[in-house]
Amino acid sequence: MTSSLQSTEERILKAAKKVFHRKGFEGARMQEIADEAGINKALLHYYFRSKENLFEAVFRDAFLELTGYAKTVFLSDNPIKEKIHKFLGYYIAILNENSYIPWFILNAIYTRPGTMKAIFDNAELNPPELMAHLQHQIKTEYGSEINPFHMWLNVLSLSIFPVIAKPLIREIFQLPEDAYKQILEQRKTEVPQFIANALKGYEQSDSMIE
Amino acid sequence: MTSSLQSTEERILKAAKKVFHRKGFEGARMQEIADEAGINKALLHYYFRSKENLFEAVFRDAFLELTGYAKTVFLSDNPIKEKIHKFLGYYIAILNENSYIPWFILNAIYTRPGTMKAIFDNAELNPPELMAHLQHQIKTEYGSEINPFHMWLNVLSLSIFPVIAKPLIREIFQLPEDAYKQILEQRKTEVPQFIANALKGYEQSDSMIE
DNA sequence: GATCGGTTAAACTATTTGGTTAATCTATAC
DNA sequence: GTATAGATTAACCAAATAGTTTAACCGATC
């Protein structure tokens, strides 16, 4: 039953993901990860010396995956509306399956800020480049000097918050899982539309200028 | 040094807030709360029998404070743009001082969903009423059948996410505390403008209809 | 000055938890 | 076949932690 399709290390990482994503560093138990991986607890320490190490590996994976795609999309050559649409599609798809990820990332940053800095630096996000790119694109497509940072932050907010807040909103509105899935599905088209409309609005009344 | 301006119970609650907000349930230590309150650990259990009880009290306070104001603002008689402005002003002000609150709320919901349900029910949020109110207002002010749920969720996203994600974004952009404070300050006017522009856009091209 | 609620200090319990160790198993090389 | 190195296990350890108990203390009030 050792299912050697995956190496032990892969099995551990997969199990660690599952547990850390749902419970964070403090809430996760090494024993639970071992059980989830179907191995002995000692073997966990054999592969990853400490809880800290294992957590870092899990965080790195999640962080690089999320930022990696965002970087690709935002720096691509598509028109803005298309970018936003792709971004939303990707995130909603991924996060529908694994909706704990953004919470997990935030959690890690809040509770273990020191540990994370090295990983940030590794991600090579180059924000100035991104901002310059967006600013240029906004000017070309909409003839407007909208502050690209606020624009970018708006896109992120509209994409990610509804996923993070899912359990809260589901509880408040008494929505079943499927209903919320459908709402997120709608947002794949609604949000780009919403933002495009806002951008049109700026053509007449310029604001959002720093 | 017993600073009897506050009752012991108040001192405990204040200390518990500070610790729970920053570390969540799992990360918080009863000893640390006792120290923070300047009292004995036994006294903690004398007032609040268990960690669970104390946590619930802290969560209740935070949750009711946050939702209470949101309810008031969204159901008030101001025009939409004004509502959004007020909402943002309030949240950015509160959360600038105490930026852990939204993370703490989410944290509680993710890690202790069972414990929270009773408190939800107690908050008397009445979402259908809110939605009906917003829908009517949007129609009156903008003559458009925009889905009020998406609109409401957009406002929340644009308001709350930038606060939750503060440590992440500060790290990515290498921004000092003050710079980010200033950004949030800008958003008090930028976001209502952004949304108003989007709403204007809907007057021509209707979407966001369910 | 006895009583009583609030408070402290300290020892203690029971349990959990990250981490370690020494032995065992398994597969490959010789 | 058996020696060897790596993978895996069961048992164990030390520290931390929530919660309890007990005895004493303090200040107000009766």
Side-chain angles (χ1 to χ4, degrees):
Chain A
M1 192 51 98
T2 19
S3 139
S4 48
L5 290 176
Q6 300 168 52
S7 71
T8 304
E9 189 169 343
E10 280 168 336
R11 287 227 309 288
I12 292 177
L13 261 177
K14 197 175 163 187
K17 253 181 212 178
K18 193 168 173 182
V19 176
F20 276 132
H21 282 187
R22 277 167 182 67
K23 312 206 168 176
F25 182 84
E26 300 278 0
R29 299 287 163 251
M30 294 297 266
Q31 185 60 58
E32 194 182 348
I33 295 173
D35 291 347
E36 181 72 36
I39 57 156
N40 189 285
K41 185 161 65 90
L43 204 54
L44 235 55
H45 289 89
Y46 178 75
Y47 279 91
F48 302 83
R49 302 167 51 96
S50 66
K51 190 184 185 181
E52 182 69 41
N53 279 348
L54 187 51
F55 183 78
E56 266 187 48
V58 170
F59 179 84
R60 176 174 287 111
D61 278 5
F63 187 75
L64 293 183
E65 189 186 338
L66 249 58
T67 55
Y69 189 80
K71 211 167 69 171
T72 308
V73 168
F74 278 121
L75 287 178
S76 73
D77 274 334
N78 296 307
I80 286 188
K81 198 172 169 181
E82 181 66 19
K83 282 182 181 180
I84 296 171
H85 191 264
K86 280 197 171 175
F87 182 76
L88 271 158
Y90 174 77
Y91 274 70
I92 287 174
I94 276 209
L95 304 177
N96 249 342
E97 297 306 311
N98 211 334
S99 57
Y100 285 83
I101 290 187
W103 173 73
F104 164 74
I105 301 266
L106 285 178
N107 219 14
I109 290 158
Y110 269 93
T111 58
R112 315 187 71 68
T115 325
M116 312 287 85
K117 299 213 168 178
I119 294 163
F120 283 131
D121 301 339
N122 224 38
E124 294 172 10
L125 294 178
N126 198 353
E129 182 197 6
L130 173 61
M131 288 301 117
H133 177 90
L134 283 182
Q135 190 158 32
H136 176 72
Q137 186 172 21
I138 292 169
K139 193 165 191 177
T140 310
E141 285 183 36
Y142 293 89
S144 186
E145 299 278 3
I146 299 167
N147 182 322
F149 179 83
H150 281 299
M151 173 57 57
W152 171 82
L153 187 49
N154 289 351
V155 173
L156 251 60
S157 300
L158 292 166
S159 308
I160 300 179
F161 181 80
V163 177
I164 303 188
K166 177 168 108 173
L168 177 59
I169 295 169
R170 276 192 54 202
E171 188 61 36
I172 292 177
F173 283 82
Q174 292 294 315
L175 297 172
E177 173 71 32
D178 274 356
Y180 203 82
K181 214 168 201 168
Q182 211 182 320
I183 285 168
L184 288 183
E185 211 53 47
Q186 287 172 18
R187 289 183 72 80
K188 278 192 200 171
T189 57
E190 290 302 342
V191 169
Q193 187 63 244
F194 180 77
I195 294 174
N197 281 344
L199 284 168
K200 263 191 294 173
Y202 281 102
E203 288 170 18
Q204 295 113 356
S205 76
D206 255 21
S207 172
M208 238 192 191
I209 302 176
E210 201 173 6
Chain B
M1 193 52 98
T2 18
S3 136
S4 47
L5 290 175
Q6 302 168 50
S7 71
T8 303
E9 189 168 343
E10 280 168 338
R11 288 227 309 287
I12 292 177
L13 263 177
K14 196 175 164 188
K17 251 181 215 179
K18 193 167 172 183
V19 177
F20 276 134
H21 282 187
R22 276 164 181 68
K23 312 207 169 174
F25 183 85
E26 301 277 359
R29 298 287 165 251
M30 293 297 266
Q31 186 60 58
E32 192 182 348
I33 295 173
D35 291 347
E36 180 73 35
I39 56 154
N40 192 287
K41 184 159 68 95
L43 204 56
L44 232 58
H45 288 89
Y46 179 74
Y47 278 91
F48 302 82
R49 299 168 53 95
S50 65
K51 189 182 185 182
E52 181 69 40
N53 280 347
L54 187 51
F55 183 78
E56 264 186 50
V58 170
F59 179 83
R60 177 175 288 112
D61 278 5
F63 187 75
L64 293 184
E65 189 187 338
L66 250 58
T67 56
Y69 189 80
K71 211 167 68 171
T72 308
V73 168
F74 277 122
L75 288 177
S76 73
D77 273 336
N78 297 306
I80 287 188
K81 199 172 169 183
E82 182 64 20
K83 281 182 182 180
I84 297 170
H85 191 263
K86 281 197 170 175
F87 182 78
L88 271 159
Y90 175 76
Y91 274 69
I92 287 174
I94 278 210
L95 304 177
N96 248 342
E97 296 306 309
N98 212 333
S99 58
Y100 284 84
I101 290 186
W103 173 73
F104 165 74
I105 301 265
L106 286 176
N107 220 14
I109 290 158
Y110 269 92
T111 57
R112 315 187 71 69
T115 326
M116 313 288 82
K117 299 214 168 177
I119 294 164
F120 283 132
D121 301 340
N122 224 39
E124 295 171 10
L125 293 178
N126 198 355
E129 184 197 4
L130 173 63
M131 288 301 116
H133 177 91
L134 283 182
Q135 188 156 35
H136 176 71
Q137 186 173 20
I138 291 168
K139 194 165 190 177
T140 310
E141 285 183 36
Y142 294 88
S144 185
E145 299 277 4
I146 298 168
N147 181 321
F149 178 84
H150 281 298
M151 173 56 59
W152 171 83
L153 188 49
N154 289 351
V155 174
L156 253 60
S157 301
L158 292 167
S159 308
I160 301 177
F161 181 80
V163 177
I164 304 186
K166 177 168 106 174
L168 177 59
I169 295 170
R170 276 191 56 201
E171 188 61 36
I172 292 177
F173 282 82
Q174 292 294 315
L175 296 172
E177 174 71 31
D178 273 356
Y180 202 81
K181 215 169 201 169
Q182 209 182 321
I183 285 168
L184 289 182
E185 212 54 45
Q186 288 171 17
R187 288 183 74 80
K188 279 192 197 171
T189 57
E190 290 301 342
V191 169
Q193 187 64 244
F194 180 77
I195 295 174
N197 280 344
L199 284 167
K200 265 190 294 174
Y202 280 104
E203 288 169 17
Q204 297 114 352
S205 76
D206 256 21
S207 170
M208 241 196 188
I209 303 177
E210 198 172 9

